[in-house]
Amino acid sequence: SPSGETGFRPDEGTIRAAAMANPGSMWLIGNEPDVAWQDHTTPERYAELYHELYQILKQADPTCQVAIGAVSQPTPLRLAYLEQILDTYQDRFGQPIPVDIWNVHGFVIREERGSWGVGIPPGSNADTGVLYEIEDHRSQELFQEQIVAFRHWMAEHGQRDRPLVLSEFGILMPADYGFDSAQVQAYLYETFDYLSTAQDEQLGYPQDGNRLVQWWAWYSLADTVYPTSNLFNPETKAITDLGRAFAAYAPPKNGRSE
């Protein structure tokens, strides 16, 4: 994982050994480099670190699959951040950035400097992006719009023939903000139904029946900071009501289970 501007962790030797011991694995290079309290990496530095890590991984295991680090949400501000990564990579290494699998997170959170939410990406001079309100956090419409927007962006950049993983999405807000267990369960079922069935003849992944998303992961299994969407209690290890609902989920008949 890129750790800010300084470098990456764990060290190269540990990464090589892990790649060799786990051939064919998918590697996600970083986590939310666009967010100050996550990997907090400028686009220019991310492009350099991605290049270095891609080479390390492919040398250790030519069969591995490398995924770009997920931005927190595919808004215009975050897509501009990714655009800078692509431009920097092209300028410095003389070729398009090689991405085997595209990766994004699917949250709906405010973009405003010094406010609640995910803030402004490193290196950006903007003070605001999309000014989502708290109630937007559970909007099915906005969630779906963002997925389509990201696939549209991929297609514009010649990446339609790559699979897409949605590696984090869910409800981060606490129950007393208006997100009770029934609403969280409804959000889980609605998003899963959408992801199981969403297709687009112009934007989807051709090798998967033009489905928009190939894999997805609910957030989270057992988070100690954002527990609203936990499937298990991190202290007692007991399954939650949402965990039982997750286990009972059945995809629509014209979809497929993930």
Side-chain angles (χ1 to χ4, degrees):
S1 177
S3 50
E5 299 299 285
T6 56
F8 55 82
R9 61 180 185 271
D11 62 80
E12 180 178 339
T14 302
I15 293 171
R16 284 187 184 277
M20 292 172 70
N22 299 278
S25 291
M26 181 197 305
W27 291 84
L28 279 57
I29 307 298
N31 176 65
E32 297 186 347
D34 58 300
V35 178
W37 50 92
Q38 296 294 341
D39 282 350
H40 189 54
T41 311
T42 62
E44 294 75 17
R45 186 64 175 133
Y46 182 87
E48 294 172 351
L49 292 169
Y50 183 93
H51 178 79
E52 186 175 355
L53 288 164
Y54 185 92
Q55 302 302 319
I56 290 169
L57 289 165
K58 290 291 186 176
Q59 287 166 8
D61 172 27
T63 69
C64 75
Q65 297 285 289
V66 179
I68 199 163
V71 292
S72 54
Q73 50 190 11
T75 57
L77 197 61
R78 262 67 193 176
L79 294 179
Y81 173 89
L82 284 175
E83 199 89 44
Q84 287 180 275
I85 292 173
L86 268 59
D87 291 347
T88 299
Y89 197 99
Q90 180 71 51
D91 290 346
R92 299 201 180 168
F93 304 110
Q95 63 182 40
I97 189 169
V99 177
D100 298 319
I101 297 171
W102 283 87
N103 173 29
V104 74
H105 290 171
F107 296 111
V108 180
I109 316 176
R110 193 176 187 87
E111 298 176 319
E112 184 176 18
R113 197 179 295 278
S115 180
W116 71 274
V118 286
I120 305 298
S124 173
N125 294 321
D127 288 320
T128 60
V130 182
L131 298 178
Y132 291 129
E133 301 296 347
I134 289 174
E135 57 268 24
D136 293 328
H137 187 55
R138 60 170 173 256
S139 169
Q140 192 62 216
E141 183 179 0
L142 293 172
F143 172 83
Q144 295 180 16
E145 284 178 2
Q146 287 192 160
I147 298 298
V148 173
F150 195 68
R151 264 291 176 188
H152 194 274
W153 184 88
M154 286 174 62
E156 285 181 335
H157 291 82
Q159 301 294 311
R160 182 186 167 188
D161 64 341
R162 295 288 189 274
L164 172 61
V165 55
L166 179 64
S167 55
E168 282 187 29
F169 68 102
I171 299 296
L172 303 178
M173 301 289 180
D176 58 9
Y177 278 40
F179 300 88
D180 62 31
S181 58
Q183 290 173 330
V184 177
Q185 179 180 326
Y187 187 80
L188 185 152
Y189 277 21
E190 288 168 2
T191 51
F192 277 35
D193 283 354
Y194 174 74
L195 294 167
S196 297
T197 58
Q199 297 170 281
D200 190 296
E201 300 299 320
Q202 274 70 52
L203 302 177
Y205 182 46
Q207 294 92 311
D208 186 29
N210 289 316
R211 289 186 175 88
L212 298 181
V213 180
Q214 281 57 67
W215 307 280
W216 54 91
W218 178 259
Y219 194 86
S220 175
L221 183 69
D223 195 327
T224 56
V225 179
Y226 301 106
T228 305
S229 290
N230 279 353
L231 304 180
F232 286 84
N233 184 306
E235 295 178 358
T236 66
K237 309 298 189 289
I239 193 169
T240 63
D241 288 344
L242 186 66
R244 292 187 187 90
F246 180 103
Y249 173 76
K253 289 184 180 180
N254 62 334
R256 42 115 203 228
S257 181
E258 280 298 333

